[in-house]
């Protein structure tokens, strides 16, 4: 803590001495903006002055506009730069105060690092312009062995975002990116490392999406009776495999579990003839319903069909909308 010294034999009043010393500490940024000044008790003990005298000095500093008294908290050095910006801020900044605070902090940090305001502005604009250019072409990617997962992402995103997208196998992504100046690559977090390794040298942006947690479906699975036969059907073989592992971790051998990719007609028919419950994704439902209808005469009781409406979590869709400038 800074030490303040009072000369009792001086012709200058003790309160004036303290006032000038504190003001110098503020002006020289020994007490920077936002700094909490010592309490009146602390300062009285340090200087030997009465607490009323210290309180008088603090009131003078407040009247001079260099500090603010916050009830129950203390006396703080005013941040005139931030306050000046707040007085002239646009209605948009008032509408989004948290965003404004984040922008202020970022600009302050860049200025501390030696950037000028002009350079800071150019850095912001360059980043925004690059993101807008990338948004002009959106590529959805997944490895060839599970391109169906990419197709599921593509279907949901095109429906939710209402913009054209292109499905590209991961193995062809580098070649496609070579033919475009800037793009946004969208993929599941399962494949994010591969996508970033390919896209980074091509100056392309990669945005991962999170898949739905299937909480509702898992709750149903937990409640199925022991020995129940459950079928899992998906457009994506990878999804069937991951779902099987998760379900087995929940129920072990309590359930008879069968899985099939929807285009595997042989396995799909086996599931329909044996499963009591079938869970499938939205893109698979038409084929599953048709297969159940076709086997109606050969089965005593058709399986209960549960359709998972989403593959991508809603928050990821909303984030993607913002990243692509769609809202």
């Amino acid at each position: 803590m800074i030490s303040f010294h009072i000369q009792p034999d001086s012709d200058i009043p003790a309160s004036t001495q303290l006032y000038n010393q504190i003001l110098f500490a503020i002006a020289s940024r020994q007490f920077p903006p936002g700094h909490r000044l010592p309490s009146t008790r602390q300062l009285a003990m340090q200087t030997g002055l009465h607490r009323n005298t210290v309180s008088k000095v603090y009131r003078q500093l407040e009247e001079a506009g260099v500090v603010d008294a916050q009830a129950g908290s203390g006396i703080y050095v005013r941040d005139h730069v931030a306050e000046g910006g707040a007085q002239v801020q646009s209605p948009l900044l008032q509408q989004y105060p948290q965003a404004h605070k984040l922008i202020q902090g970022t600009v302050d940090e860049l200025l501390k690092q030696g950037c000028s305001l002009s350079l800071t502005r150019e850095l912001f604009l360059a980043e925004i312009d690059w993101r807008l250019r990338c948004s002009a072409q959106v590529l959805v990617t997944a490895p060839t062995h599970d391109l169906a997962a990419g197709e599921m992402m593509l279907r949901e995103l095109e429906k939710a975002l209402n913009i054209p997208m292109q499905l590209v196998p991961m193995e062809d992504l580098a070649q496609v990116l070579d033919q475009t100046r800037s793009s946004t690559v969208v993929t599941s977090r399962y494949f994010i490392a591969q996508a970033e390794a390919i896209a980074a040298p091509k100056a392309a942006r990669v945005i991962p999406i999170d898949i739905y947690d299937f909480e509702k479906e898992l709750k149903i699975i937990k409640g199925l009776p022991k020995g129940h036969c459950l079928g899992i059907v998906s457009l994506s073989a990878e999804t069937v495999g991951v779902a099987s592992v998760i379900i087995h971790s929940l129920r072990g051998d309590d359930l008879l579990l069968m899985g099939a990719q929807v285009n595997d007609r042989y396995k799909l028919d086996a599931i329909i003839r044996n499963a009591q419950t079938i869970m499938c994704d939205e893109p698979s439902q038409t084929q599953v319903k048709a297969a159940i209808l076709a086997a109606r005469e050969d089965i005593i009781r058709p399986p209960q069909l549960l359709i998972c409406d989403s593959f991508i979590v809603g928050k990821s869709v909303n984030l993607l909308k913002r990243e692509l400038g769609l809202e």
Side-chain angles (χ1 to χ4, degrees), residues 280-322:
C280 75
D281 50 43
E282 195 276 335
S284 304
Q285 67 167 313
T286 301
Q287 287 177 259
V288 174
K289 287 179 178 178
I292 292 174
L293 187 62
R296 195 70 181 256
E297 294 181 0
D298 300 326
I299 52 180
I300 298 174
R301 179 180 297 174
Q304 180 186 13
L305 181 60
L306 301 176
I307 301 166
C308 306
D309 295 330
S310 301
F311 180 67
I312 302 171
V313 68
K315 287 184 178 179
S316 279
V317 175
N318 293 333
L319 175 61
L320 198 55
K321 284 181 180 179
R322 293 192 292 271

Side-chain angles (χ1 to χ4, degrees), residues 224-242:
L224 292 176
K226 187 175 181 179
H228 196 84
C229 184
L230 173 65
I232 303 296
V233 181
S234 174
L235 193 67
S236 162
E238 191 82 11
T239 299
V240 173
V242 171

Side-chain angles (χ1 to χ4, degrees), residues 55-82:
S55 296
K56 174 186 174 184
V57 170
Y58 278 175
R59 284 196 299 272
Q60 289 175 326
L61 290 166
E62 188 175 7
E63 290 170 2
V66 293
V67 300
D68 279 323
Q70 297 183 15
S73 179
I75 309 294
Y76 293 85
V77 179
R78 286 183 63 184
D79 187 348
H80 294 83
V81 173

Side-chain angles (χ1 to χ4, degrees), residues 148 232-238 240 258-273 278 281 283-284 287-288 291-292:
I232 303 296
V233 181
S234 174
L235 193 67
S236 162
E238 191 82 11
V240 173
M258 303 178 71
Q261 198 170 2
V262 71
N263 293 325
D264 188 333
R265 189 57 189 264
Y266 177 80
K267 288 186 176 180
L268 179 59
D269 284 344
I271 287 176
I272 289 170
R273 294 174 187 276
I278 297 176
D281 50 43
S284 304
Q287 287 177 259
V288 174
I292 292 174

Side-chain angles (χ1 to χ4, degrees), residues 190-208:
Y190 282 107
F191 315 128
I192 188 65
Q194 296 168 262
E196 286 183 334
I198 296 168
K202 311 292 183 182
R205 185 167 56 140
V206 180
I207 300 178

Side-chain angles (χ1 to χ4, degrees), residues 75-306:
I75 309 294
Y76 293 85
V77 179
R78 286 183 63 184
D79 187 348
H80 294 83
V81 173
E83 291 176 6
Q87 290 169 5
V88 297
Q89 70 181 1
S90 73
L92 187 61
L93 294 177
Q94 292 176 335
Q95 187 178 353
Y96 300 101
Q98 292 302 318
H100 182 207
K101 186 176 180 180
L102 180 61
I103 291 169
Q104 280 185 318
T106 304
V107 171
D108 287 343
E109 184 60 33
L110 288 171
L111 293 176
K112 288 178 185 177
Q113 293 181 16
C115 293
S116 65
L117 277 176
S118 295
L119 178 57
T120 298
R121 179 177 182 274
E122 291 303 317
L123 288 171
F124 270 92
L125 290 176
E127 176 68 16
I128 293 169
D129 287 345
W130 174 68
R131 292 192 180 204
L132 289 174
R133 288 197 306 272
C134 288
S135 303
Q137 180 170 348
V138 181
L139 307 175
V140 177
T141 191
T144 299
H145 69 81
D146 195 28
L147 199 58
E151 185 176 341
M152 290 171 65
M153 288 187 280
L154 181 72
R155 289 188 185 190
E156 285 201 26
L157 291 175
E158 283 191 328
K159 182 178 179 181
L161 305 181
N162 197 29
I163 61 171
M165 297 181 174
Q166 180 182 351
L167 178 60
V168 178
M170 191 78 73
E171 293 78 359
D172 298 336
L173 184 59
Q175 182 180 353
V176 172
L177 291 176
D178 282 335
Q179 298 171 3
T180 181
R181 187 177 170 209
S182 50
S183 300
T184 293
V185 177
V186 178
T187 192
S188 163
R189 289 194 188 275
Y190 282 107
F191 315 128
I192 188 65
Q194 296 168 262
E196 286 183 334
I198 296 168
K202 311 292 183 182
R205 185 167 56 140
V206 180
I207 300 178
I209 58 172
D210 298 313
I211 63 171
Y212 171 57
D213 61 12
F214 299 100
E215 181 181 359
K216 179 181 70 175
E217 290 77 11
L218 291 174
K219 186 175 181 180
I220 293 172
I221 290 169
K222 288 179 182 178
L224 292 176
K226 187 175 181 179
H228 196 84
C229 184
L230 173 65
I232 303 296
V233 181
S234 174
L235 193 67
S236 162
E238 191 82 11
T239 299
V240 173
V242 171
S244 299
V245 170
I246 293 173
I247 294 170
H248 188 268
S249 70
L250 285 175
R251 297 296 305 267
D253 295 327
D254 282 353
L255 299 180
L256 176 58
L257 190 62
M258 303 178 71
Q261 198 170 2
V262 71
N263 293 325
D264 188 333
R265 189 57 189 264
Y266 177 80
K267 288 186 176 180
L268 179 59
D269 284 344
I271 287 176
I272 289 170
R273 294 174 187 276
N274 293 281
Q276 294 157 285
T277 302
I278 297 176
M279 288 188 174
C280 75
D281 50 43
E282 195 276 335
S284 304
Q285 67 167 313
T286 301
Q287 287 177 259
V288 174
K289 287 179 178 178
I292 292 174
L293 187 62
R296 195 70 181 256
E297 294 181 0
D298 300 326
I299 52 180
I300 298 174
R301 179 180 297 174
Q304 180 186 13
L305 181 60
L306 301 176

